[in-house]
Amino acid sequence: MSANPYPQFRALFFAITITTLVSSPTRADDAAVARAAYKQSFINNDFSYLDDPEYQGHFLGEQLKRLRPCSDITIDLGGRFRSRYHNENNLRGGRRLTGASDEFLLSQTLLFADVHIGDNLRVFGQAIDATSDGEDLPPRGSEVNRFDMQMLAVDALLLSRGDDQEWWLRFGRQEMYYGSQRLVASRPWRNTPLTHDGVRSWWKSDSAQVDAFWVRPIDPRQHRPDDHNFDNPDQSRQFYGVFGTAKTDAARHDLYYFGMTEDDDLVQTFAGVPGGFDVHTIGGRVIRNEGEIRFELEGGYQFGSFSTSRQSAGFATVGLGHTFEKLPFKPTTWLYYDWASGDGDLTDDVHGTFYQLEPRGHFYLGLADLTGRQNIQDLNLQTSLAVSDDLECRIHFHNFWLADSRDALYTNGGAASFQDPTGAAGNEIGHELDLQLRWSISPRAHFLVGYSYLWAGDYFDSPVIQGGPAGIAPNGASGNNGEFTYIQSSLRF
């Protein structure tokens, strides 16, 4: 327990407030549709269930939905309050395992307005206020963004054929996520989710969808505690791509191309080398169900240029899952192997480290956020237990190795954190255990408790990694293990 109980008190108070405010459901079906209305990015919310005359639920915020000032306009108003207490032991800072610890409270407020004008036009706006309180060390760039515009986009229906084919155009500020989100995600765990300025168009039917987009990312370096200016896009960086998906009852197939270009030659790449980059990724994914057995395969190849070198890299993920319907709590277990290439020869003109783009790494590669999807191997076992309809327990165990021992260990943000160019430090990064309990108090209120323990591998015992002359930074790893405890409560309205 910290000498300053302020973060713990705020998190506990917020959780108690949630349970007090939210009413009980009248029917299970009503609770289910009300819960499903909210999506990862609120621009995808769907409150049409409120138009059903048989709906009898009464949940927080519903009185602000489906407002109709006239026959052709429908307005949905709402948002979310989220509060998360962190206690990070030897895991503070972007590099992790450097001896830094801290405890603090992250708070996030989202407010949105969704205006539908007839069936063909829509305007969506969402504001954000994200804060960090009680910390001893400076907050990360992903933790603070005061009073800013997270999304402001216009959707227009360009073409409609029958009841199941539509072609849409969206332009403005928007969050994006595609497929498994291993490469493109809004990163909802962050206190400041990723967002972009640009244009997106998609064609969809009942069984397929094709997206194309061109955007400029909003530079997260603008998110400073005392920055109250309107966030602007990074004018030197472009992100574009095409994503297609087809679904059947038993399978889903994704095929995609993503390109990212950094035009500013003075900008450092993720390895600290100036020169910008121009990387292109082609890949695909298939996930298939056969009764209680599930299979997932995803991979891609990356080409282009990285500073003055030619880019040639790749990634692959394979997973096998099973749901044990007859066992208590109906456990679903997955065994995954993740690989993303590293650079085996640091002296040639080929750069082999995979560039992870904008992934949801926290979800896939451990909650301690030690590593990103670059120069990494991860063999992990994941189990989820349905303790009840509203309570879920998740248990994940990760085994991490470098893909190439001479390349760096990269953080979840993509920056190189430690490196022994000789490879003498080896490639055993360590093991991580993640425990998580999710409680859906109601369709509007959620409570999350988690604990992660990271066992540092032999890699961090190397004199070079601990701050030797060949290390990537003068203050090297502490050589000790890390712990992460968090409590999160959220209220949607």
Side-chain angles (χ1 to χ4, degrees):
M1 177 74 71
S2 167
N4 175 17
Y6 178 69
Q8 296 94 318
F9 175 79
R10 282 280 302 275
L12 179 60
F13 177 78
F14 194 80
I16 294 174
T17 302
I18 287 177
T19 58
T20 304
L21 286 176
V22 181
S23 59
S24 300
T26 55
R27 296 189 311 170
D29 289 346
D30 291 339
V33 296
R35 181 181 293 111
Y38 282 84
K39 310 301 181 182
Q40 176 177 318
S41 288
F42 287 171
I43 197 170
N44 297 321
N45 289 349
D46 183 4
F47 299 104
S48 60
Y49 72 93
L50 293 171
D51 296 327
D52 184 353
E54 296 185 2
Y55 177 74
Q56 301 176 16
H58 300 282
F59 296 106
L60 185 66
E62 290 181 341
Q63 64 273 23
L64 300 175
K65 311 295 188 296
R66 317 311 286 173
L67 305 176
R68 293 184 171 89
C70 62
S71 59
D72 293 331
I73 296 179
T74 302
I75 301 174
D76 297 325
L77 304 175
R80 180 182 70 195
F81 297 124
R82 190 177 77 180
S83 181
R84 187 168 69 233
Y85 161 70
H86 283 226
N87 188 329
E88 301 181 9
N89 182 14
N90 197 26
L91 291 173
R92 188 60 169 156
R95 297 172 64 228
R96 309 296 197 273
L97 298 181
T98 56
S101 301
D102 207 352
E103 63 175 328
F104 51 96
L105 184 76
L106 299 178
S107 299
Q108 180 199 79
T109 302
L110 299 176
L111 299 174
F112 69 80
D114 191 1
V115 181
H116 292 257
I117 305 172
D119 297 327
N120 303 332
L121 189 63
R122 174 196 186 194
V123 180
F124 183 90
Q126 179 174 289
I128 184 172
D129 183 40
T131 65
S132 178
D133 298 308
E135 70 278 344
D136 294 324
L137 300 174
R140 302 180 183 101
S142 62
E143 294 172 345
V144 176
N145 189 16
R146 301 307 312 271
F147 310 110
D148 221 309
M149 185 62 66
Q150 179 70 12
M151 286 189 276
L152 182 59
V154 176
D155 290 358
L157 179 63
L158 303 180
L159 183 65
S160 178
R161 290 186 175 179
D163 296 330
D164 67 339
Q165 296 188 41
E166 294 180 337
W167 180 23
W168 285 86
L169 175 70
R170 173 179 296 166
F171 60 92
R173 181 159 299 182
Q174 53 195 286
E175 296 178 353
M176 298 192 307
Y177 56 93
Y178 286 106
S180 67
Q181 304 184 54
R182 289 187 174 93
L183 298 183
V184 182
S186 59
R187 299 185 185 177
W189 173 264
R190 287 169 49 121
N191 217 32
T192 59
L194 298 182
T195 191
H196 311 75
D197 280 0
V199 61
R200 172 192 169 201
S201 185
W202 66 96
W203 171 89
K204 66 178 182 178
S205 69
D206 289 342
S207 60
Q209 181 166 328
V210 179
D211 282 50
F213 68 91
W214 177 89
V215 296
R216 293 192 186 275
I218 302 301
D219 190 346
R221 291 172 297 181
Q222 298 174 92
H223 301 164
R224 296 292 184 261
D226 298 322
D227 178 19
H228 296 272
N229 299 320
F230 185 79
D231 283 348
N232 295 306
D234 187 342
Q235 295 297 328
S236 67
R237 184 166 297 191
Q238 303 176 67
F239 188 28
Y240 42 90
V242 178
F243 187 95
T245 186
K247 297 180 289 185
T248 66
D249 292 340
R252 169 175 173 152
H253 298 81
D254 298 335
L255 187 64
Y256 50 81
Y257 159 78
F258 298 125
M260 184 172 285
T261 302
E262 175 56 64
D263 298 323
D264 189 346
D265 290 339
L266 299 179
V267 172
Q268 290 188 341
T269 59
F270 55 81
V273 179
F277 54 85
D278 182 19
V279 296
H280 306 269
T281 307
I282 54 174
R285 171 182 178 239
V286 58
I287 183 165
R288 187 173 184 85
N289 299 332
E290 293 289 348
E292 296 181 349
I293 302 294
R294 302 177 186 178
F295 172 77
E296 182 176 9
L297 176 65
E298 184 170 8
Y301 175 70
Q302 195 169 80
F303 59 95
S305 62
F306 180 87
S307 186
T308 59
S309 299
R310 177 171 63 88
Q311 181 77 358
S312 180
F315 87 101
T317 295
V318 59
L320 184 65
H322 188 276
T323 299
F324 300 88
E325 294 286 352
K326 297 181 180 180
L327 292 181
F329 307 134
K330 298 180 180 179
T332 296
T333 299
W334 280 89
L335 179 64
Y336 274 107
Y337 173 72
D338 284 291
W339 167 82
S341 64
D343 196 342
D345 188 345
L346 305 178
T347 61
D348 63 8
D349 62 353
V350 177
H351 186 262
T353 307
F354 184 73
Y355 181 44
Q356 65 176 359
L357 300 179
E358 298 181 351
R360 194 178 180 183
H362 178 89
F363 182 80
Y364 287 109
L365 295 172
L367 302 182
D369 291 337
L370 176 68
T371 180
R373 193 173 294 277
Q374 299 179 176
N375 188 37
I376 197 65
Q377 301 177 80
D378 177 20
L379 180 64
N380 60 86
L381 184 67
Q382 307 178 7
T383 298
S384 60
L385 305 172
V387 181
S388 69
D389 292 340
D390 301 320
L391 191 64
E392 181 186 31
C393 178
R394 296 183 178 181
I395 306 169
H396 294 187
F397 188 79
H398 297 264
N399 299 272
F400 296 117
W401 302 271
L402 294 181
D404 193 285
S405 59
R406 288 167 292 183
D407 199 355
L409 171 66
Y410 296 89
T411 68
N412 69 320
S417 56
F418 303 101
Q419 184 175 10
D420 178 3
T422 70
N427 65 354
E428 186 184 348
I429 300 303
H431 316 285
E432 180 177 335
L433 174 65
D434 297 325
L435 305 175
Q436 195 175 82
L437 193 66
R438 294 172 172 265
W439 179 24
S440 295
I441 303 172
S442 86
R444 295 293 181 264
H446 303 271
F447 193 68
L448 178 67
V449 178
Y451 174 78
S452 297
Y453 193 88
L454 181 63
W455 289 269
D458 292 343
Y459 179 82
F460 296 99
D461 293 332
S462 166
V464 172
I465 301 304
Q466 290 188 356
I472 205 163
N475 56 329
S478 67
N480 297 323
N481 301 328
E483 289 182 281
F484 176 33
T485 304
Y486 54 95
I487 303 171
Q488 176 177 287
S489 52
S490 63
L491 178 66
R492 301 182 296 196
F493 57 91

